[in-house]
């Protein structure tokens, strides 16, 4: 006789596979919060939108310790302050607890807010390998009315790159001359190797004519543009998840372990700068990310 209360082996195996997959999904989400690919508020929104999702099934203490700078001591103080039991899952929070947790997160780690009165100078930056170049190229193809800035660089051209279209390829002496003559809006040495800079003249002309200029530059450049023109719109491009960024960064497997680790450290530092930006756009689909950047640029 079979025991009807005991699920057949196949069911148990399937259930344990599902449990492993759910645990993996929760772990990936926690990495996203820890590396700042998503804000704690975003994870909470996902959990409340779908309590049966991986986010919804996450226990509140797990969620809290995923937040950078929250250790076990702080976690326990937060739980006590908000009167939330440590066994609670995010998807199972009561209405008051949801509100208190959201307000607490907003107070402690405010999400970047768009600032009104922005100019039509738009900067697109983000961590290495997030796909800034692809998104910028997509905007250029679909929105020719937006002027994509052509940078000057001391890097030699790659096969297929066209002078004046992809870059102005210059030598060190010419780059120095451009800096000295004040011809660059910003400039930086990228990846400790070559110098890149945004020619000021074409940007000023576009803005004077009432057009929109888009700069696809690195983080140091974005900061200089903000300093030079505080009304510039800064857009930070995010990967859909930390795991996806890791995949894009090291996926080709052509770098050694040390180089891979260096790139991942850089990506974490870069992600930590997103609070300085006005908007964040997730690059999970190039066409949709491009449209979101255009929407920001044409408000
Ligand atoms: P690549 O050499 O692959 O074309 O570009 C390398 C990096 O340089 C990219 O991250 C790109 O955003 C950055 N970059 C390109 N042009 C400029 C520029 O004019 N200024 C700054 N600061 N960075 C740039």
């Amino acid at each position: 006789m079979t025991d009807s209360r005991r699920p057949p082996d196949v069911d148990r195996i399937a259930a344990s596979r599902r449990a492993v997959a759910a645990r993996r999904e929760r772990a990936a989400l926690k990495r996203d919060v820890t590396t700042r690919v998503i804000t704690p508020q975003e994870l909470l929104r996902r959990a409340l939108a779908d309590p049966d999702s991986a986010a919804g099934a996450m226990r509140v203490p797990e969620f809290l310790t995923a937040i950078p700078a929250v250790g076990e001591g702080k976690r326990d103080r937060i739980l006590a302050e908000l009167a939330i039991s440590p066994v609670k899952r995010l998807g199972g929070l009561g209405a008051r607890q949801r509100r208190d947790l959201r307000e607490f997160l907003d107070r402690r780690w405010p999400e970047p807010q768009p600032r009104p009165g922005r100019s039509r100078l738009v900067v697109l930056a983000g961590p290495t390998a997030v796909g800034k170049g692809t998104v910028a190229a997509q905007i250029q193809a679909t929105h020719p009315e937006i002027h994509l800035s052509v940078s000057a660089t001391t890097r030699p051209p790659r096969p297929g790159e066209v002078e004046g279209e992809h870059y102005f390829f210059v030598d060190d002496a010419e780059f120095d001359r451009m800096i000295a003559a004040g011809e660059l809006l910003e400039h930086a040495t990228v990846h400790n190797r070559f110098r890149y800079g945004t020619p000021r003249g074409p940007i000023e002309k576009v803005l004077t004519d009432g057009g929109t200029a888009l700069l696809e530059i690195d983080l140091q450049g974005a900061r200089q543009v903000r300093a030079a023109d505080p009304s510039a719109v800064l857009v930070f491009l995010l990967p859909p998840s930390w795991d996806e960024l890791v995949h894009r960064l090291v996926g080709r497997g052509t770098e050694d372990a040390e180089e891979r680790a260096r790139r991942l450290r850089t990506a974490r530092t870069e992600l930590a700068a997103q609070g300085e930006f006005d908007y964040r756009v997730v690059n999970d689909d190039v066409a949709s990310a491009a449209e979101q950047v255009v929407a920001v640029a044409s408000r």
Side-chain angles (χ1 to χ4, degrees):
M1 208 179 84
T2 55
D3 182 348
S4 61
R5 281 164 311 178
R6 187 166 171 262
D9 282 349
V10 275
D11 285 1
R12 280 193 294 124
I13 291 168
S16 99
R17 283 215 181 106
R18 275 198 302 278
V20 170
R23 237 188 341 263
R24 282 216 184 104
E25 218 182 315
R26 285 202 299 278
L29 277 175
K30 281 194 283 178
R31 282 197 291 280
D32 290 345
V33 172
T34 303
T35 55
R36 300 182 167 87
V37 166
I38 64 174
T39 59
Q41 286 91 327
E42 171 61 23
L43 198 144
L44 182 61
R45 278 194 287 274
R46 291 186 197 175
L48 299 179
D50 181 3
D52 295 328
S53 64
M58 191 179 295
R59 292 196 193 276
V60 181
E62 270 191 285
F63 166 69
L64 290 173
T65 46
I67 300 172
V70 177
E72 292 178 3
K74 215 181 246 181
R75 171 199 66 193
D76 294 343
R77 282 196 298 277
I78 299 171
L79 287 172
E81 182 184 329
L82 301 178
I84 295 176
S85 146
V87 297
K88 271 277 178 194
R89 296 178 188 273
L90 287 176
L93 290 172
R96 181 196 57 77
Q97 292 174 324
R98 291 172 184 202
R99 192 201 57 216
D100 288 354
L101 181 55
R102 204 165 25 219
E103 286 177 2
F104 177 81
L105 297 173
D106 286 344
R107 265 198 319 274
R108 293 287 290 271
W109 300 282
E111 292 186 295
Q113 296 297 327
R115 303 185 307 164
R118 312 278 75 204
S119 83
R120 293 196 167 269
L121 174 57
V122 182
V123 175
L124 180 63
T128 315
V130 75
K132 283 170 292 178
T134 319
V135 170
Q138 170 78 11
I139 295 174
Q140 197 178 27
T142 52
H143 290 273
E145 75 282 6
I146 295 181
H147 171 86
L148 180 62
S149 164
V150 178
S151 301
T153 182
T154 58
R155 161 168 85 61
R158 297 190 184 121
E161 284 185 335
V162 178
E163 165 72 17
E165 188 179 313
H166 296 97
Y167 283 104
F168 295 107
F169 297 98
V170 300
D171 58 17
D172 271 308
E174 172 62 6
F175 203 92
D176 286 338
R177 191 202 61 74
M178 293 173 98
I179 297 174
E183 289 176 17
L184 298 178
L185 179 63
E186 60 74 37
H187 61 91
T189 301
V190 179
H191 300 320
N192 296 321
R193 289 199 74 193
F194 299 111
R195 294 191 286 169
Y196 298 78
T198 305
R200 186 192 296 277
I203 305 298
E204 285 180 350
K205 176 158 188 346
V206 168
L207 295 177
T208 309
D209 294 347
T212 298
L214 179 68
L215 274 53
E216 183 259 293
I217 58 178
D218 87 324
L219 211 57
Q220 312 164 69
R223 289 185 174 131
Q224 290 175 38
V225 173
R226 161 121 303 159
D229 177 359
S231 70
V233 179
L234 267 54
V235 184
F236 195 87
L237 197 62
L238 281 163
S241 69
W242 170 254
D243 289 356
E244 178 58 29
L245 185 69
V246 172
H247 182 70
R248 290 181 197 175
L249 263 171
V250 302
R252 284 162 302 175
T254 44
E255 299 80 20
D256 59 27
E258 198 179 316
E259 173 62 16
R260 280 204 300 275
R262 194 186 65 79
R263 289 186 181 203
L264 294 180
R265 273 198 309 276
T266 306
R268 271 178 177 259
T269 317
E270 290 169 334
L271 283 165
Q274 63 183 279
E276 301 168 32
F277 283 67
D278 302 306
Y279 294 91
R280 290 167 306 146
V281 167
V282 178
N283 184 21
D284 49 2
D285 170 75
V286 172
S288 137
E291 281 313 314
Q292 289 177 61
V293 176
V294 171
V296 164
S298 15
R299 292 146 309 128

